[in-house]
Amino acid sequence: GQQVMQIPQYQHVQEGEDFTTYCNSSTTLSNIQWYKQRPGGHPVFLIQLVKSGEVKKQKRLTFQFGEAKKNSSLHITATQTTDVGTYFCAADSNYQLIWGAGTKLIIKP
Amino acid sequence: GAVVSQHPSWVICKSGTSVKIECRSLDFQATTMFWYRQFPKQSLMLMATSNEGSKATYEQGVEKDKFLINHASLTLSTLTVTSAHPEDSSFYICSAIQGELPHSPLHFGNGTRLTVT
């Protein structure tokens, strides 16, 4: 079945550094959604991308959907402690969401 | 808006007993509810999809007789873990959708941490 590969599994950054997570699929995606899960919490919807080449911003977060609609990225500029958590991408496949493995953002003390 | 309430937040039960987890959409009618299981440091694993008034659709490898799902109304779905065993210990999360995939996001409950002793 369809898979969504998400990398890296972890990213350690100093507060103030940038963070990026990537999702890739071998097949064309109809759309892609991004979620954030804080430690001990539940996933919270961040955004949905639908159009080829789409770029959306939410404050320090920038979401991109590739031209071929096979990849997507989430970039956080100047990370803050409130950004800590695991970021998941999820793509539709026959009206089900296929989840990436998640990228855990860890702020170095 | 789009609040999903899940209860209980955590439960400890003895091996062989059953546990019921409730998932309610508080301010919207959920056309579909999804039940996930999440192991530590792992992604979400879809267990089943339920629609109000119909039988749940279970994912491959998920025992429907062990994980009973009832979707009694557009705002309530329950998951019952029957004859629980220690290997059933996990984090169970429900989610609800107001519209339908692929265009609508999932709204998640807070999750239930189940520990079977």
Side-chain angles (χ1 to χ4, degrees):
Chain A
Q2 182 173 359
Q3 287 188 325
V4 175
M5 305 301 294
Q6 187 172 0
I7 56 170
Q9 189 175 2
Y10 301 94
Q11 191 166 359
H12 295 76
V13 300
Q14 297 278 5
E15 188 174 1
E17 292 182 337
D18 294 353
F19 162 87
T20 306
T21 174
Y22 302 89
C23 282
N24 296 287
S25 169
S26 58
T27 58
T28 302
L29 304 172
S30 59
N31 68 356
I32 195 158
Q33 298 180 358
W34 285 92
Y35 292 79
K36 176 184 178 181
Q37 184 175 22
R38 293 181 184 272
H42 62 278
V44 174
F45 174 75
L46 294 176
I47 210 160
Q48 176 171 266
L49 304 172
V50 179
K51 299 177 183 177
S52 168
E54 190 169 15
V55 178
K56 287 188 176 180
K57 292 191 176 185
Q58 289 179 352
K59 297 183 180 178
R60 294 177 294 102
L61 277 61
T62 302
F63 304 84
Q64 293 189 347
F65 203 7
E67 293 290 341
K69 299 180 73 172
K70 290 185 177 181
N71 57 74
S72 181
S73 65
L74 158 58
H75 180 83
I76 303 177
T77 304
T79 54
Q80 299 175 0
T81 54
T82 53
D83 297 325
V84 163
T86 301
Y87 294 83
F88 292 98
C89 62
D92 172 68
S93 174
N94 294 324
Y95 301 97
Q96 281 192 4
L97 280 184
I98 307 298
W99 292 81
T103 298
K104 188 172 184 178
L105 168 58
I106 301 165
I107 303 281
K108 297 176 187 177
Chain B
V3 177
V4 175
S5 173
Q6 185 173 342
H7 179 81
S9 299
W10 58 271
V11 58
I12 301 172
C13 71
K14 292 187 177 180
S15 190
T17 61
S18 295
V19 174
K20 180 185 281 190
I21 302 170
E22 287 191 353
C23 181
R24 294 180 184 270
S25 56
L26 297 185
D27 51 359
F28 67 99
Q29 292 187 327
T31 50
T32 306
M33 288 188 173
F34 303 89
W35 286 95
Y36 287 89
R37 185 172 180 177
Q38 188 175 33
F39 293 100
K41 300 181 182 181
Q42 293 192 21
S43 188
L44 299 162
M45 184 189 82
L46 179 64
M47 298 175 66
T49 301
S50 76
N51 293 289
E52 182 262 343
S54 61
K55 289 185 179 180
T57 302
Y58 290 82
E59 294 300 302
Q60 193 172 5
V62 178
E63 299 176 57
K64 61 180 181 180
D65 294 329
K66 180 166 188 62
F67 298 100
L68 300 178
I69 291 172
N70 183 271
H71 198 150
S73 73
L74 284 171
T75 59
L76 173 64
S77 177
T78 61
L79 167 67
T80 302
V81 183
T82 62
S83 187
H85 291 286
E87 57 265 30
D88 298 324
S89 299
S90 190
F91 190 53
Y92 294 88
I93 318 177
C94 72
S95 67
I97 192 166
Q98 191 168 5
E100 59 182 28
L101 291 173
H103 305 296
S104 301
L106 299 187
H107 304 287
F108 285 85
N110 288 332
T112 298
R113 192 160 302 280
L114 170 63
T115 303
V116 185
T117 61

